[in-house]
Amino acid sequence: MLAALMTTALTVGAEAAADEKAPTIAPPFVIGGTLFAIFLVLLFVTSSYTNLGRRHEATDEHADPHRQHPNKHDRHVGSSSH
């Protein structure tokens, strides 16, 4: 079965090579340049977010008793009742 599939694929590939190529919307260098420009824009967008973690010094969050949904995972750090 594998041999039959390979033979069919090779036959179809050989017939397709004899046909003319499909037309493209632009020359290859225009398509490549456009893709390069798109990836450069994505690179600049990605690199613009690299300093978000370095804006402020990290500080410990205090337990606020007036918060509507208090943090249950702080093990009551900062509160006087245990």
Side-chain angles (χ1 to χ4, degrees), residues 47-70:
S47 64
S48 69
Y49 286 100
T50 57
N51 65 349
L52 288 180
R54 294 182 241 147
R55 285 187 177 175
H56 305 288
E57 291 294 322
T59 57
D60 291 332
E61 182 178 347
H62 66 283
D64 186 6
H66 301 292
R67 187 180 296 172
Q68 185 175 1
H69 298 286

Side-chain angles (χ1 to χ4, degrees), residues 18-74:
D19 295 337
E20 65 182 58
K21 295 180 180 178
T24 59
I25 59 172
F29 64 88
V30 174
I31 295 172
T34 304
L35 288 175
F36 183 72
I38 289 171
F39 283 128
L40 274 180
V41 169
L42 291 174
L43 172 74
F44 290 134
V45 168
T46 303
S47 64
S48 69
Y49 286 100
T50 57
N51 65 349
L52 288 180
R54 294 182 241 147
R55 285 187 177 175
H56 305 288
E57 291 294 322
T59 57
D60 291 332
E61 182 178 347
H62 66 283
D64 186 6
H66 301 292
R67 187 180 296 172
Q68 185 175 1
H69 298 286
N71 184 4
K72 305 277 187 191
H73 305 287
D74 61 357

